[in-house]
Amino acid sequence: MAASPPRDVGLIVVGNSGVGKTFLVNIIIGEERFEHRYDPSAVTKETEFVQKQVTFKNGEMVAAAIFNIPGLIENDQEAIERNKTEIQKAFVLRPTSVIVYVASTAGGRIRDEDVVAFKALNEAYQLKKESLCVVVNQLKKKRPPNYEGETTLRLEKLFGIAPLRVAFINEMEEDDAQGRTDAFSSLVRVIESCVPAQHEKHHDILLQVDEIKMAKQEAKARQEEFDKIKVDMQAEIAAKQKEVEALKNAPAKIVEVHHHHHESGGGGCAIM
């Protein structure tokens, strides 16, 4: 019997502006397809994608549309509404997807605004545990021995989803070839451990600019609660660290690139 053709799924990379989503997408696809730069304003304004072949943990070969999407939280409501629309385009085009949520840290702790954005996205799309992974990006190379285990547990408490697959990516310069190679391996391991699942919008992303400050305060309070109890969670943290190390050291499958969409300017396909 002839093999069935790869089914189309998405790899939807989401998160706030400034967490390095586009940089990571370029690492995944192995080329500078999407524009990124250090900029106080959001660089990505439209949803774009490029097509690749990806092998997932369950052995399925899929043709995956890998999305580069604007961040969610902005300083004005008009920009937030635009970003909601752009995010929805990816879920409409590829409802069966793996979701990669990218967060960053402040002083080693997950930023409150990244907790707020995830909560808004998760409530709208009810993200499936089996198809979700989290990337903690732009980390200092030197960090405490059990940092990954503690941060994974923190994310599970804050996001209300367990277990979570988490990749930890060090900060790096643009020309850091080894850093890119290490990041690619870490990203591939967590993505391959996910199974694409169907996602539907249950309601609009509920995020109002005048409510973000209060939501961040609530996230901060929840983080402080975790800080108080983590002293009694050392055994759990150590066990979670072992799980993170096991995933980190697992042999990574090679992602075979197979592009279907090209533009004369070198970018991905924008979705109108």
Side-chain angles (χ1 to χ4, degrees):
M1 181 180 295
S4 59
R7 67 186 180 89
D8 286 341
V9 301
L11 183 67
I12 300 179
V13 182
V14 290
N16 283 319
S17 298
V19 296
K21 297 187 303 298
T22 302
F23 184 64
L24 295 178
V25 169
N26 285 339
I27 287 177
I28 292 170
I29 66 177
E31 59 181 293
E32 295 298 301
R33 176 62 64 99
F34 301 111
E35 180 185 6
H36 66 93
R37 63 180 183 270
Y38 289 107
D39 196 303
S41 60
V43 176
T44 304
K45 300 293 178 69
E46 293 182 334
T47 291
E48 307 167 291
F49 73 94
V50 65
Q51 198 86 351
K52 288 183 63 176
Q53 279 189 350
V54 181
T55 302
F56 287 93
K57 183 181 178 182
N58 63 358
E60 183 181 20
M61 291 293 296
V62 297
I66 301 178
F67 288 87
N68 183 47
I69 302 176
L72 180 55
I73 292 180
E74 302 278 4
N75 291 324
D76 67 271
Q77 193 62 41
E78 183 178 349
I80 290 176
E81 295 303 322
R82 179 195 67 217
N83 294 343
K84 291 179 186 179
T85 299
E86 293 301 318
I87 290 169
Q88 171 64 1
K89 288 178 181 178
F91 282 93
V92 168
L93 189 63
R94 293 292 187 274
T96 301
S97 292
V98 166
I99 312 301
V100 181
Y101 185 78
V102 183
S104 190
T105 63
R109 193 171 80 167
I110 301 300
R111 300 188 312 167
D112 297 326
E113 54 263 49
D114 294 334
V115 179
V116 172
F118 180 85
K119 182 174 183 289
L121 286 165
N122 190 37
E123 288 179 349
Y125 292 97
Q126 297 184 12
L127 304 177
K128 307 295 193 303
K129 179 170 60 177
E130 68 272 17
S131 65
L132 171 68
C133 60
V134 178
V135 177
V136 182
N137 196 27
Q138 303 168 335
L139 287 168
K140 299 292 184 183
K141 292 182 180 179
K142 291 185 178 180
R143 44 189 186 264
N146 283 343
Y147 175 83
E148 288 90 349
E150 179 182 316
T151 301
T152 300
L153 273 178
R154 181 187 294 273
L155 285 164
E156 290 175 354
K157 299 289 186 183
L158 293 172
F159 289 0
I161 298 175
L164 279 175
R165 302 166 183 84
V166 186
F168 296 87
I169 307 298
N170 293 333
E171 61 183 1
M172 71 190 82
E173 299 295 333
E174 292 280 339
D175 58 354
D176 185 350
Q178 186 58 52
R180 283 173 170 261
T181 297
D182 293 343
F184 175 81
S185 295
S186 296
L187 292 165
V188 165
R189 286 183 180 97
V190 295
I191 291 169
E192 288 177 341
S193 69
C194 296
V195 178
Q198 183 94 8
H199 293 88
E200 298 177 358
K201 186 172 77 168
H202 295 264
H203 58 70
D204 288 338
I205 298 173
L206 303 178
L207 192 66
Q208 299 295 318
V209 68
D210 56 356
E211 297 174 355
I212 291 175
K213 182 178 180 180
M214 179 67 70
K216 288 173 62 177
Q217 290 175 346
E218 292 174 358
K220 181 180 179 181
R222 293 180 63 199
Q223 298 226 44
E224 290 171 348
E225 289 176 9
F226 180 83
D227 289 335
K228 291 177 181 177
I229 64 173
K230 71 179 183 181
V231 67
D232 298 320
M233 300 175 63
Q234 295 309 304
E236 291 179 68
I237 289 172
K240 188 63 68 172
Q241 182 69 31
K242 289 182 179 180
E243 292 178 15
V244 173
E245 293 292 340
L247 181 58
K248 188 187 301 185
N249 295 323
K253 298 175 184 177
I254 301 299
V255 178
E256 182 182 358
V257 179
H258 180 59
H259 298 296
H260 295 288
H261 299 282
H262 297 275
E263 284 190 345
S264 57
C269 284
I271 304 170
M272 306 305 290

